[in-house]
Amino acid sequence: MTIDVHARDLRYFVAVAEELHFTRAAELLYVSQPALSKQIRALERQLGAELFRRDRHAVALTAAGEALLPHARTVLAAWEAGAAAVDAAKAAQRSTLVVGMSTSPGRGGLLPAIRSRFTAAHPHTTVRLRQMSWDDPTAGLAEGTVDVAFVWLPLPDEDRYAWTVVAEEPRLLALPESHPLATRPEVDFADLLDEPFLALPRSAGRLRDHWLALDARAGRPPRIGAEISGAEETYEALVAGLGICLVAEGNAPLITLGGVTTRPVRGIGPSRYALAWRRGDGHRPLVRAYAEAATAARARPATTAPHTTDGPGRQPPQSPR
């Protein structure tokens, strides 16, 4: 037998069952007592059973009413949970996602491609981009001022984060056009060990070491010509002859203005650019959706397939977390 019972009918039944008084139940439900009685009688007809015994002095549950009450409460609780989940989903659709970055994602339209995919799925969400200083290698993630961030790997305290790599690029040598090494079509890193280098601030930690290529120096400490915390500072320091530096291929246009050039470097590995988020935020709908959009739109170099990881030494999930 199929019975079409509305949540309203169960709500009315539970109110009367808990109050055992039609007038008080009607007041709690903001309906008239005759309307409530009418709905209860209609429910009883649908079920083919009397739910309450009524007389002038008291209202009591029948055996059928006692049997229905726990199930009615369960159904109403499930419905309220479902309605709350819908409200949360709607709120997520209409909220804001803050995206941090220390350098522009650029890279053949990567950012517009991610935005297009993300906004197609979340048209009511506002995406705000926040430019961060190179002092913070997490681009705002560590301080909690952004939800996701475009960052260079490696990250400090990387167990705190998950990420998807969106580009893997050679590290080029940036140097003044007047530098003797600028005449070479390619430079061996071993020839750079005595050169002064431009370095990220010490707060950048492992990322500072990466751009100084400490792993290729065989224990020899680098000479630091100056510290830089932005693309403009880097360009000015290069033009002033304060040092040379390594730069990701995709960022070369930011500093190869008048007087600065780049050259390929032998003997060092590539750079990895990633979209990262705090590991504990991987369940958030907007964070997950933006990460999935980045995975779908990420650059795919011909020689190296990008990958997704949720931390060091772990295999990636089927979709980013």
Side-chain angles (χ1 to χ4, degrees), residues 2 14 58 84 87 97 104 118 123 142 150 166 170 173 178 211 221 240 244-245 255 282 292 311 318-319:
T2 300
V14 169
D87 287 342
L97 186 78
S104 170
F118 178 76
F150 289 98
V166 296
L173 174 66
S178 59
W211 292 110
I244 60 177
C245 68
I255 58 174
E292 289 172 347
Q318 291 302 307
S319 58

Side-chain angles (χ1 to χ4, degrees), residues 161-213:
Y161 309 103
W163 59 80
T164 181
V165 175
V166 296
E168 186 167 297
E169 302 170 350
R171 282 181 286 180
L172 304 179
L173 174 66
L175 70 173
E177 291 178 345
S178 59
H179 195 288
L181 292 174
T183 61
R184 300 185 186 180
E186 192 175 51
V187 179
D188 194 305
F189 189 75
D191 294 334
L192 305 177
L193 296 180
D194 294 324
E195 294 284 339
F197 265 69
L198 306 181
L200 294 179
R202 292 189 180 276
S203 59
R206 295 178 62 202
L207 194 59
R208 171 184 166 112
D209 297 344
H210 173 74
W211 292 110
L212 291 172

Side-chain angles (χ1 to χ4, degrees), residues 226-279:
E227 288 193 350
I228 40 91
S229 58
E232 291 185 4
E233 285 185 21
T234 304
Y235 172 74
E236 295 297 337
L238 287 167
V239 171
L242 299 182
I244 60 177
C245 68
L246 298 176
V247 59
E249 185 177 55
N251 283 353
L254 298 177
I255 58 174
T256 50
L257 308 174
V260 174
T261 188
T262 59
R263 292 292 183 269
V265 184
R266 294 187 299 270
I268 59 173
S271 60
R272 292 190 300 156
Y273 196 53
L275 178 80
W277 56 96
R278 289 174 293 274
R279 186 180 299 281

Side-chain angles (χ1 to χ4, degrees), residues 53-268:
R53 288 190 298 273
R54 311 163 178 82
D55 60 35
R56 292 184 178 181
H57 305 290
V59 176
L61 281 166
T62 63
E66 292 280 4
L68 177 62
L69 183 57
H71 299 288
R73 284 172 170 158
T74 298
V75 170
L76 289 175
W79 174 252
E80 289 173 1
V86 170
D87 287 342
K90 290 191 297 184
Q93 290 278 354
R94 290 170 168 78
S95 57
T96 299
L97 186 78
V98 182
V99 180
M101 62 182 68
S102 54
T103 54
S104 170
R107 288 154 180 83
L110 176 65
L111 189 59
I114 295 174
R115 180 187 288 270
S116 176
R117 286 172 168 81
F118 178 76
T119 55
H122 297 272
H124 301 293
T125 298
T126 300
V127 177
R128 292 182 180 168
L129 303 179
R130 181 167 294 176
Q131 188 75 32
M132 310 300 290
S133 167
W134 291 358
D135 293 271
D136 178 9
T138 72
L141 287 176
E143 294 183 356
T145 54
V146 303
D147 300 302
V148 297
F150 289 98
V151 298
W152 291 100
L153 301 179
L155 284 168
D157 301 321
E158 59 186 13
D159 283 333
R160 296 180 57 193
Y161 309 103
W163 59 80
T164 181
V165 175
V166 296
E168 186 167 297
E169 302 170 350
R171 282 181 286 180
L172 304 179
L173 174 66
L175 70 173
E177 291 178 345
S178 59
H179 195 288
L181 292 174
T183 61
R184 300 185 186 180
E186 192 175 51
V187 179
D188 194 305
F189 189 75
D191 294 334
L192 305 177
L193 296 180
D194 294 324
E195 294 284 339
F197 265 69
L198 306 181
L200 294 179
R202 292 189 180 276
S203 59
R206 295 178 62 202
L207 194 59
R208 171 184 166 112
D209 297 344
H210 173 74
W211 292 110
L212 291 172
L214 255 58
D215 58 343
R217 292 179 178 271
R220 292 179 59 177
R223 290 180 57 200
I224 306 302
E227 288 193 350
I228 40 91
S229 58
E232 291 185 4
E233 285 185 21
T234 304
Y235 172 74
E236 295 297 337
L238 287 167
V239 171
L242 299 182
I244 60 177
C245 68
L246 298 176
V247 59
E249 185 177 55
N251 283 353
L254 298 177
I255 58 174
T256 50
L257 308 174
V260 174
T261 188
T262 59
R263 292 292 183 269
V265 184
R266 294 187 299 270
I268 59 173

